[in-house]
Amino acid sequence: MTRYEYGGDEFIFVELAEEMSLEVNFQAMAITKQLKEEQLSGILDICPSNASYMVRFEPEKIHPDKLISKLKELEQTTSIDDFELSSRMVDVPVLFEDPWTHEALMRFRDRHQDPNSTDLEYTARINGFDSTDALIDAMTGAPYLVTMIGFVPGLPWCYQMVPREQQIEAPKYVRPRTFTPERAFGLGGAFSVIYPVDGAGGYQLFGIAAAPIFEKDSKLYDFQDTMTFPKQGDIFRYRSVTREEYDSIREEVENGTFRYLTKEITFTPKQVLENPKTFSEEVLRRLYS
């Protein structure tokens, strides 16, 4: 059941469901897209999230009760069956079991559920995989949908486009780390993330992305108009690379020639929800063709 909450005088928070799913995330995208298109007077900002969204408004221009009535109306009239999403497929090279995130995770073993295992070993075991290679194959074998951008600039929350029962999940650390390296790739709950900058963190650490997702100097092609690369609705395919490939990409980043491999795509939630395996295969075929 949808839940509405006020946040001070200017914010309304709308929770569409207590549990995250691809279906409810598509619903959040569809409702907020329709709300933006209607351009209601008094709406200052619309922020879609995983299974929720938030609206900032001017109470002097639109009464909160009127706004909630409008949001309830949109919930009833907006269907993901009519929703079409134009987005990007993105190749995201990742060096798994790299020395930098390994050093970080080893520093904080006393804060982990299983201090005697690496984060990859622990996650592989609790998800029923025979090895860390099998876990990596599963994570790179099907793409991830960027469901939201939050709470650090450019940090993508990514949800794998597979049936719910095939989702890979892992809890966050028992206590958070005080350091996580920039571009660290990890998993918490069912969400994969890439840390845009050095900082604290609690997700299981698996590797490091070769290319930045946050670039304040706008030196690279993909950052000419923005400091952050990911967008909600992007489809990320994590590609495992060797140390040699990683170093080559880092060199391209340093000399300003790196550019993400992206392809445009338009799709409907129905394509994903009814046959995720076929959709994933089509994404991989089109991205690398």
Side-chain angles (χ1 to χ4, degrees):
M1 179 180 293
T2 303
R3 180 167 60 92
Y4 298 87
E5 288 187 1
Y6 291 110
D9 296 329
E10 298 184 349
F11 295 91
I12 291 178
F13 172 77
V14 183
E15 182 182 73
L16 297 173
E18 292 185 358
E19 184 174 341
M20 169 62 186
S21 67
L22 287 171
E23 184 173 4
V24 74
N25 184 248
F26 285 132
Q27 184 184 7
M29 288 191 202
I31 291 173
T32 52
K33 179 175 182 288
Q34 184 61 38
L35 183 60
K36 288 176 184 177
E37 290 177 352
E38 298 202 6
Q39 297 183 329
L40 295 180
S41 176
I43 300 295
L44 297 176
D45 198 11
I46 303 167
C47 181
S49 185
N50 291 319
S52 61
Y53 63 93
M54 186 169 64
V55 180
R56 185 185 179 199
F57 64 100
E58 294 180 277
E60 298 84 4
K61 292 187 177 181
I62 182 169
H63 194 277
D65 292 343
K66 181 180 178 181
L67 177 55
I68 285 183
S69 294
K70 180 61 180 179
L71 298 179
K72 289 181 177 179
E73 176 190 326
L74 286 177
E75 184 182 347
Q76 294 299 317
T77 59
T78 304
S79 170
I80 61 173
D81 293 337
D82 306 318
F83 181 50
E84 190 174 72
L85 186 61
S86 295
S87 187
R88 306 177 296 181
M89 301 174 289
V90 185
D91 173 74
V92 182
V94 175
L95 176 62
F96 286 91
E97 300 183 277
D98 67 285
W100 303 280
T101 57
H102 183 77
E103 179 184 5
L105 67 89
M106 293 306 293
R107 281 174 55 190
F108 299 100
R109 291 332 281 161
D110 61 328
R111 305 184 183 200
H112 194 271
Q113 290 85 352
D114 184 357
N116 296 317
S117 297
T118 66
D119 294 8
L120 266 173
E121 290 168 342
Y122 169 72
T123 304
R125 187 175 69 254
I126 66 173
N127 282 275
F129 292 102
D130 295 334
S131 65
T132 57
D133 285 343
L135 171 60
I136 293 170
D137 288 345
M139 296 194 73
T140 58
Y144 282 72
L145 177 71
V146 178
T147 57
M148 67 169 279
I149 308 296
F151 48 93
V152 180
L155 188 149
W157 291 49
C158 307
Y159 197 78
Q160 196 167 31
M161 304 174 86
V162 296
R164 186 69 184 88
E165 64 273 13
Q166 295 178 22
Q167 289 284 344
I168 300 166
E169 296 187 11
K172 299 199 299 186
Y173 276 38
V174 176
R175 290 185 294 128
R177 299 178 302 272
T178 56
F179 175 75
T180 306
E182 176 185 339
R183 293 178 284 105
F185 170 73
L187 185 81
F191 291 98
S192 67
V193 299
I194 299 172
Y195 288 77
V197 295
D198 291 348
Y203 278 25
Q204 306 289 333
L205 297 179
F206 298 161
I208 194 165
I213 58 169
F214 174 77
E215 215 268 315
K216 60 183 176 63
D217 297 324
S218 300
K219 294 186 299 183
L220 299 175
Y221 175 88
D222 296 298
F223 297 87
Q224 292 303 302
D225 300 316
T226 179
M227 291 189 294
T228 61
F229 176 74
K231 300 176 183 177
Q232 186 186 42
D234 279 349
I235 298 175
F236 279 9
R237 191 277 166 128
Y238 300 121
R239 177 170 57 88
S240 179
V241 298
T242 64
R243 178 60 189 269
E244 183 179 2
E245 291 172 305
Y246 173 87
D247 289 342
S248 177
I249 294 170
R250 293 305 303 158
E251 185 176 340
E252 292 178 5
V253 170
E254 291 302 317
N255 64 32
T257 61
F258 175 80
R259 181 174 177 180
Y260 275 101
L261 170 62
T262 66
K263 297 283 183 67
E264 300 297 316
I265 185 173
T266 299
F267 65 96
T268 64
K270 183 177 180 181
Q271 289 174 271
V272 180
L273 298 172
E274 289 192 351
N275 200 329
K277 185 174 185 295
T278 299
F279 181 80
S280 294
E281 291 171 348
E282 178 66 10
V283 166
L284 298 184
R285 184 190 66 80
R286 291 176 58 181
L287 180 57
Y288 298 112
S289 63

